[in-house]
Amino acid sequence: MLKRLLLIVIMMAFTFSYIDIANAKEKTNLKIASKAAVLVDSSSGQILYGKNPDKKLYPASLTKIATAIYAIENGNLDDMVTVSKAAEETDGTRVYLLEGERVTLKHLVQGLLINSGNDAGVAIADYLCGDVPTFAEKLNEFMVDKVGVSNTHFVNPHGLFDKNHYTTASDLAKITDYAIKNPTFREIFGTKELKWNGKGWHTTLITHHLMLKGEIPYPGITGGKTGYVDQSGQTLATTAQNNNIHLTVITMDAKTKKDEYQDTKQLLDYGFTHFKTSELPEDTMFKYGNKIFKTSEKLLYTSPLHASVSERISKNGVLEIVDKSGALLKSFQLSEQKVMAAQSAPSKKKTEKSKHNPWILMMPIILIGFGVFWSVKRIKNKKKG
């Protein structure tokens, strides 16, 4: 039985080793054509794959993800916005707003994300901040203070080229993951089509994202945004989920649409095949010596889909999640809990009683010795009989 159990353990260890090797091999075999790309666990924020993740590049219309979440959080979506002349005259992709037209802020956000309306972006900027430069200043502050970006600078709400308008794949993933936590943004970001009855345009808006609208079929797509200007190349933001994990993929500066969608499919396949989101519930306790540490909220982290992980706590309360090889997956700073003296040590009264009554401590030993003596005596008596 022991030999059989040992064999099973060895087989399991071999299986996990093989999966890890296959994981590493598949990761290095990913052929990503885009100049920069990231695959991120949308829930934990962990980057699962990166190619030039911190390289500053031009985002084109992926800028509108930032504009949309800023508008949703800082404006009243039911407010009526009067379209300015500057908005009507905006270049590029539009929803054909007319000067003086009145549109709800929510409808502008829908036109911004679903049809990539540059004019909708300017109308939003004018409504919220009076003009585009002031809006850009406020947007940058929001991105740093609320989202936590570190290599992003926007000068407009739509992404038309400007040499000072840049971001990175990792920052765009942060922006997207922040935005999709908002239910209104998430709904619009995942909208495939919408009736548009504008003063200058009556149509049905259809998302430009080929995976979201089903032209390139892929199960589990939850949202997407496309972008292109000559200087940026093809840019693409995609979110998707299955029962194990919710993923975000950002690709930047692809030469063709075919490249960016192939890159996205490869990265989603890789993420769904190898990872899952795990959690530690709020108020989970960990002990280090006499210290007790506790999670103050639910903690999320990414773990291998087919391998186990373990937890270790430091004397300073840093909880580390490690894989079977000991490699660090994620760390969290936990709060230390005060332990009552009565719980951590015997009372003074009990200690003194034990000190002055040694027979209490000796009693179990005496009883055991007496029992052994009695048993031996009975055996001897039986032999004599």
Side-chain angles (χ1 to χ4, degrees), residues 169-327:
S170 60
D171 273 2
L172 278 174
K174 283 183 182 179
I175 296 167
T176 304
D177 289 344
Y178 176 89
I180 60 175
K181 290 178 174 62
N182 182 289
T184 300
F185 178 92
R186 193 165 59 245
E187 174 198 349
I188 300 172
F189 194 60
T191 299
K192 297 179 181 180
E193 59 180 63
L194 178 79
K195 293 289 185 182
W196 184 271
N197 295 313
K199 188 175 179 181
W201 200 31
H202 297 271
T203 189
T204 297
L205 303 182
I206 299 175
T207 180
H208 299 177
H209 195 291
L210 302 183
M211 296 174 87
L212 179 58
K213 70 178 178 180
E215 190 171 322
I216 298 177
Y218 195 94
I221 300 295
T222 58
K225 182 74 192 77
T226 62
Y228 175 80
V229 292
D230 289 342
Q231 296 86 347
S232 73
Q234 300 289 343
T235 63
L236 193 67
T238 309
T239 57
Q241 67 180 8
N242 65 9
N243 292 331
N244 297 313
I245 195 168
H246 194 166
L247 298 172
T248 297
V249 174
I250 303 293
T251 60
M252 300 185 73
D253 200 359
K255 291 182 178 179
T256 67
K257 285 187 177 182
K258 182 179 179 181
D259 284 342
E260 68 179 352
Y261 283 105
Q262 284 184 341
D263 289 349
T264 298
K265 183 180 182 302
Q266 280 190 81
L267 291 170
L268 288 175
D269 287 346
Y270 175 71
F272 286 137
T273 302
H274 292 101
F275 302 101
K276 64 182 178 182
T277 304
S278 299
E279 68 174 58
L280 284 171
E282 183 180 356
D283 295 330
T284 302
M285 310 291 282
F286 294 89
K287 186 175 181 181
Y288 184 95
N290 293 326
K291 294 182 178 181
I292 300 293
F293 299 95
K294 184 179 75 169
T295 59
S296 57
E297 60 183 348
K298 180 173 70 174
L299 302 179
L300 300 175
Y301 62 93
T302 314
S303 58
L305 184 59
H306 300 293
S308 60
V309 299
S310 58
E311 302 146 0
R312 61 192 183 199
I313 189 81
S314 75
K315 64 179 180 180
N316 296 319
V318 176
L319 175 66
E320 295 183 336
I321 311 296
V322 297
D323 65 16
K324 70 181 189 65
S325 70

Side-chain angles (χ1 to χ4, degrees), residues 66-118:
T67 298
I69 189 58
Y70 180 86
I72 291 168
E73 290 198 6
N74 291 277
N76 184 336
L77 294 176
D78 295 325
D79 279 359
M80 297 299 297
V81 177
T82 302
V83 177
S84 66
K85 183 178 181 180
E88 180 184 349
E89 294 178 347
T90 306
D91 292 333
T93 307
R94 293 174 287 167
V95 286
Y96 299 97
L97 299 172
L98 300 178
E99 181 182 2
E101 181 178 358
R102 288 174 60 78
V103 187
T104 65
L105 179 60
K106 182 174 182 179
H107 213 40
L108 289 175
V109 174
Q110 290 170 324
L112 178 81
L113 284 177
I114 300 169
N115 199 64
S116 204
N118 295 335

Side-chain angles (χ1 to χ4, degrees), residues 8 32 87 129 223 227 244 311 362:
I8 291 172
I32 303 302
C129 300
N244 297 313
E311 302 146 0
M362 295 294 293

Side-chain angles (χ1 to χ4, degrees), residues 362-377:
M362 295 294 293
M363 188 61 69
I365 299 172
I366 294 170
L367 290 174
I368 292 171
F370 182 77
V372 172
F373 170 78
W374 184 255
S375 298
V376 171
K377 187 174 181 181

